[in-house]
Amino acid sequence: MYEISINSNNIIRLNTKQFTLLRLIGQLGFLNFTQLTLLWSVINQTYISFSYSTVRRWIINYHLLKKRSVTPSKTKRSSNLSRPVYYLSSTGVRILQKYQVDYIPLSRLKFNSHNEQCNEVTVQTLFKAAFDVDLFSKPGPKSLDQKIEHILASSTFNLNELDLRPFAQQIVNYNKYPFMPDQMISFIQNNQRCEIMVELDNRTENDNIQLKKILNYLEYAYENPYKQIMMVIAITDGSLPNYRVPKYKSPYNKINNLLTKFRNSTVSYKKQRHSIADIYRKVKNLTITIAGVAEAHVDLADFINNKNYVEFSIVGLKKMAKLLTKRFNHKVDFQKNQVLCTNQLNYLDIQGITLGHMVYNSNPAIYQTVKIGYEHSLDTYLDLYEYIPQNYIYSFPARVRRLLVPSIPKYYANNPSQSKFSHLQGMIYQPVIENNINLNLVLHLLFTQHHYYRYLYKFFTAGKISATDNPQNYTHLTYIRSTTYPFINPYLKKLHIQLKNIPSRPYRIIHSIAAKSNSAKEFSMQIHIQDIPIEVLRSILRQISIKSFSTPYYPTSSSRSDFDPDEYLYLPDQINPDKRTKISF
């Protein structure tokens, strides 16, 4: 229990979770309400709203927080916030000081859209890392406790192991470096210090400034060879509206211009010109990623969780080989790289390794190399220029939606592409986790059945989940058709829950069950997760302020009965994933 006296007759007491939230607010500076909810969910290891009534109590009764409202202004200024934010009061500062917890001093707080977006990247990162239940790579019941409210939380993520203090408070000799990241996250992984440096590009800095920052981090990484460092350039895209970009605006062109500048730029050293890209290749302990604010958190969360996508990628490539065999009526195999020890790889080691070869058994056999990369990394961008002309397949991790992938349009300008499949051209493979194999979506539906049954009961009796809900959201309903139950049932065994692969029932049947039920709880016990429309799940998550890029806001098609890897082969000719050339057969 943590306590502080606010007057002679009043002592404020906080439990560990409440104090943790106060500490995070102090280290990040300020947060909006949605960010508070996401962090509160991370701390509690379950989806839970930090309600407005709680915020008011922390402000009025506890005197721990203050509110900074958004002042209407016709002038477009960097100080314009997108919404009200909350920060520590003098009492909140005193309680952190009492327990010797670092924080950003009130005199150094800068309430502007730049810092608001930077906090958004950080909070989205923590939320995704905390609720990324990796059952494909790490199946088994060990990651589940006896409470169903924690089925969404990752067992490997530990918030207390992360240091979110500013760079100046983490690095003793920070003054010797000519940079100050907007946000720093550090942790120890495999006995090695790992550091994430977030640089937010508010579309006010030109490419030359960004290249200078990259050179600064190259020097920092070179001087600290025993650290694993990730530099993340997050570009304003309007996913969190601000004065410069009031609504979502594609960052693709800006990103590709920066990537091109990076690849072609040189720097002078001892009267010789050196390629920045070549220098970057030689500094092995630094990885740099570039993405919009809406996608930047993906890289950070994967780095924190040390995600290893190799085994799942190999399974997908083997399945692709079987489909190619059927399409072309001759044997196609995927041969795994025999020297690859997948269990010893960490997240950063995986980039650019050779997964194996797609083998076409003609006479003689033809071998097509397959490598793995990440959507936003400079390593992958450089690899595409080198290996696509050599007819490699570049494989990316399976995601819940298509993400940005670096493009090499100048190569295709000189080498006209063909959309028809051929082993004589390079391709990228970027699988999307369809509903039928989305383990996390299964967990979301199960969690909703057990926790938000009142919303479900309301929907199946009234056609909407609240008075303000728009029935037009449900004109077309989609349902999960999952083939993943053998993977997920061992995980649910401790809860005495076993899921079956059964078809969904029409709305009219579930409506009839709801009408005959005596209570919402009774109703929830009579339905299956296959009966819950994905659109309803999405509306419920929005209702409770879980407005995260990591939640399933983008339901994929449920029309396919199985995973079809050949649906996700493309040419890297366009950075916009919606405009890339899809490989046909």
Side-chain angles (χ1 to χ4, degrees):
M1 192 67 70
Y2 303 82
E3 61 182 40
I4 192 77
S5 175
I6 59 175
N7 56 49
S8 58
N9 298 320
N10 197 352
I11 296 178
I12 300 301
R13 293 181 175 85
L14 301 178
N15 60 32
T16 301
K17 292 178 180 179
Q18 293 169 328
F19 186 78
T20 298
L21 181 61
L22 197 71
R23 171 176 62 83
L24 292 174
I25 297 172
Q27 292 178 349
L28 293 174
F30 62 86
L31 296 170
N32 61 45
F33 178 75
T34 300
Q35 292 166 350
L36 283 175
T37 287
L38 294 180
L39 274 185
W40 191 232
S41 296
V42 171
I43 293 167
N44 284 274
Q45 295 183 282
T46 188
Y47 288 178
I48 181 172
S49 178
F50 193 74
S51 66
Y52 282 108
S53 60
T54 303
V55 173
R56 285 193 295 270
R57 188 162 61 250
W58 277 42
I59 293 174
I60 299 171
N61 298 343
Y62 295 173
H63 306 285
L64 294 172
L65 296 179
K66 285 188 174 182
K67 178 180 178 180
R68 185 181 181 93
S69 299
V70 176
T71 303
S73 173
K74 296 181 180 180
T75 305
K76 294 183 177 180
R77 301 192 303 262
S78 62
S79 59
N80 292 149
L81 297 168
S82 70
R83 62 201 73 181
V85 296
Y86 304 89
Y87 62 101
L88 296 185
S89 67
S90 57
T91 302
V93 168
R94 282 199 301 115
I95 192 170
L96 292 186
Q97 289 175 333
K98 178 180 178 179
Y99 293 98
Q100 299 179 331
V101 174
D102 283 343
Y103 61 94
I104 299 176
L106 299 179
S107 60
R108 298 219 318 257
L109 281 185
K110 296 181 180 179
F111 297 95
N112 54 49
S113 64
H114 181 96
N115 290 337
E116 185 184 18
Q117 289 180 88
C118 188
N119 287 344
E120 181 77 4
V121 172
T122 304
V123 172
Q124 292 282 351
T125 294
L126 299 179
F127 186 85
K128 184 179 189 304
F131 293 102
D132 187 11
V133 181
D134 190 2
L135 292 174
F136 278 124
S137 299
K138 303 170 186 176
K142 64 180 181 179
S143 54
L144 178 71
D145 64 17
Q146 297 289 346
K147 298 179 181 179
I148 198 168
E149 60 262 32
H150 292 165
I151 63 171
L152 294 168
S154 168
S155 64
T156 59
F157 176 79
N158 188 340
L159 180 62
N160 294 324
E161 293 178 352
L162 303 181
D163 190 342
L164 303 182
R165 292 177 300 157
F167 182 77
Q169 292 176 330
Q170 291 202 45
I171 305 301
V172 176
N173 57 342
Y174 73 95
N175 280 324
K176 67 176 286 190
Y177 299 107
F179 66 91
M180 185 73 68
D182 295 309
Q183 176 65 49
M184 181 176 180
I185 305 174
S186 67
F187 52 97
I188 302 299
Q189 193 172 88
N190 299 327
N191 298 317
Q192 186 175 29
R193 180 173 170 84
C194 299
E195 296 178 350
I196 294 172
M197 313 289 194
V198 179
E199 292 284 354
L200 186 86
D201 180 354
N202 206 34
R203 299 193 183 231
T204 57
E205 298 174 340
N206 60 39
D207 293 341
N208 290 328
I209 293 177
Q210 295 293 0
L211 288 177
K212 177 61 178 175
K213 288 183 178 180
I214 289 174
L215 285 171
N216 288 337
Y217 282 100
L218 284 168
E219 183 177 356
Y220 176 77
Y222 181 77
E223 292 181 5
N224 295 273
Y226 300 109
K227 295 180 180 180
Q228 282 281 14
I229 302 160
M230 172 178 279
M231 175 196 183
V232 179
I233 300 177
I235 297 175
T236 292
D237 57 12
S239 53
L240 187 69
N242 67 73
Y243 76 104
R244 184 172 293 275
V245 187
K247 61 181 180 180
Y248 183 79
K249 178 182 178 182
S250 165
Y252 301 133
N253 289 336
K254 180 169 178 61
I255 290 173
N256 227 36
N257 289 338
L258 178 55
L259 290 172
T260 302
K261 189 86 172 181
F262 164 77
R263 180 173 177 268
N264 296 329
S265 294
T266 59
V267 63
S268 179
Y269 180 71
K270 291 184 178 180
K271 297 182 180 181
Q272 291 185 335
R273 303 300 298 181
H274 299 270
S275 164
I276 296 180
D278 288 343
I279 297 172
Y280 174 67
R281 289 291 207 186
K282 293 175 183 178
V283 182
K284 301 296 185 181
N285 63 321
L286 174 66
T287 294
I288 299 177
T289 66
I290 305 174
V293 169
E295 293 187 11
H297 68 286
V298 172
D299 310 287
L300 283 72
D302 282 353
F303 184 29
I304 290 171
N305 284 342
N306 200 20
K307 292 294 290 290
N308 186 335
Y309 293 100
V310 171
E311 288 294 345
F312 185 74
S313 297
I314 289 173
V315 170
L317 290 163
K318 286 182 177 179
K319 187 152 191 177
M320 185 192 296
K322 291 182 179 179
L323 290 174
L324 293 176
T325 297
K326 292 180 180 179
R327 289 186 182 277
F328 297 117
N329 294 320
H330 59 75
K331 185 68 173 175
V332 180
D333 286 314
F334 175 75
Q335 290 185 2
K336 175 185 171 183
N337 182 358
Q338 295 302 313
V339 300
L340 194 64
C341 185
T342 58
N343 292 331
Q344 295 180 4
L345 292 171
N346 64 38
Y347 170 76
L348 297 181
D349 285 340
I350 293 172
Q351 286 199 85
I353 65 172
T354 298
L355 289 176
H357 297 83
M358 202 67 71
V359 183
Y360 306 89
N361 289 324
S362 51
N363 192 12
I366 299 171
Y367 291 80
Q368 187 174 26
T369 306
V370 182
K371 285 185 171 287
I372 191 169
Y374 292 110
E375 297 86 351
H376 305 141
S377 79
L378 295 187
D379 303 77
T380 296
Y381 174 70
L382 297 173
D383 281 352
L384 291 179
Y385 267 100
E386 181 175 355
Y387 295 118
I388 289 297
Q390 298 181 44
N391 304 330
Y392 283 27
I393 295 176
Y394 225 88
S395 177
F396 294 89
R399 306 292 191 188
V400 295
R401 65 185 189 277
R402 284 183 295 176
L403 301 180
L404 171 156
V405 169
S407 65
I408 50 175
K410 288 188 177 180
Y411 168 76
Y412 287 101
N414 299 323
N415 300 272
S417 59
Q418 60 171 351
S419 61
K420 194 170 180 63
F421 181 88
S422 170
H423 62 270
L424 298 177
Q425 70 173 5
M427 292 167 281
I428 61 174
Y429 170 48
Q430 190 184 30
V432 170
I433 300 180
E434 299 284 352
N435 293 346
N436 51 60
I437 62 166
N438 193 335
L439 290 168
N440 290 86
L441 184 54
V442 172
L443 293 181
H444 277 96
L445 291 168
L446 184 62
F447 182 81
T448 298
Q449 181 188 8
H450 283 263
H451 286 269
Y452 302 124
Y453 45 83
R454 291 184 180 86
Y455 286 118
L456 295 177
Y457 182 71
K458 184 74 173 177
F459 172 76
F460 283 107
T461 54
K464 55 183 183 179
I465 66 173
S466 67
T468 58
D469 196 14
N470 186 356
Q472 295 299 318
N473 295 333
Y474 313 111
T475 54
H476 179 67
L477 299 178
T478 55
Y479 300 86
I480 191 169
R481 294 182 181 178
S482 183
T483 59
T484 63
Y485 301 111
F487 289 93
I488 208 167
N489 277 332
Y491 178 75
L492 300 173
K493 190 174 182 180
K494 284 187 177 181
L495 297 175
H496 307 291
I497 296 174
Q498 294 291 281
L499 300 175
K500 297 180 180 179
N501 191 11
I502 56 179
S504 58
R505 292 175 288 183
Y507 177 90
R508 57 180 176 80
I509 293 179
I510 309 303
H511 172 75
S512 177
I513 294 174
K516 296 176 183 178
S517 299
N518 295 319
S519 67
K521 182 68 173 177
E522 178 187 315
F523 162 71
S524 71
M525 303 305 294
Q526 300 179 66
I527 63 173
H528 310 293
I529 63 171
Q530 294 89 341
D531 298 324
I532 304 173
I534 297 173
E535 290 76 15
V536 175
L537 169 64
R538 186 171 59 216
S539 295
I540 292 173
L541 293 177
R542 286 174 174 158
Q543 192 76 17
I544 61 171
S545 299
I546 302 294
K547 298 180 178 68
S548 168
F549 304 136
S550 302
T551 54
Y553 277 8
Y554 307 88
T556 54
S557 170
S558 58
S559 60
R560 300 189 182 97
S561 59
D562 203 356
F563 176 62
D564 299 323
D566 57 346
E567 290 289 324
Y568 306 108
L569 285 169
Y570 306 92
L571 298 178
D573 54 348
Q574 297 284 342
I575 196 167
N576 185 338
D578 295 325
K579 294 183 178 180
R580 290 199 299 257
T581 299
K582 185 177 182 298
I583 298 296
S584 59
F585 292 87

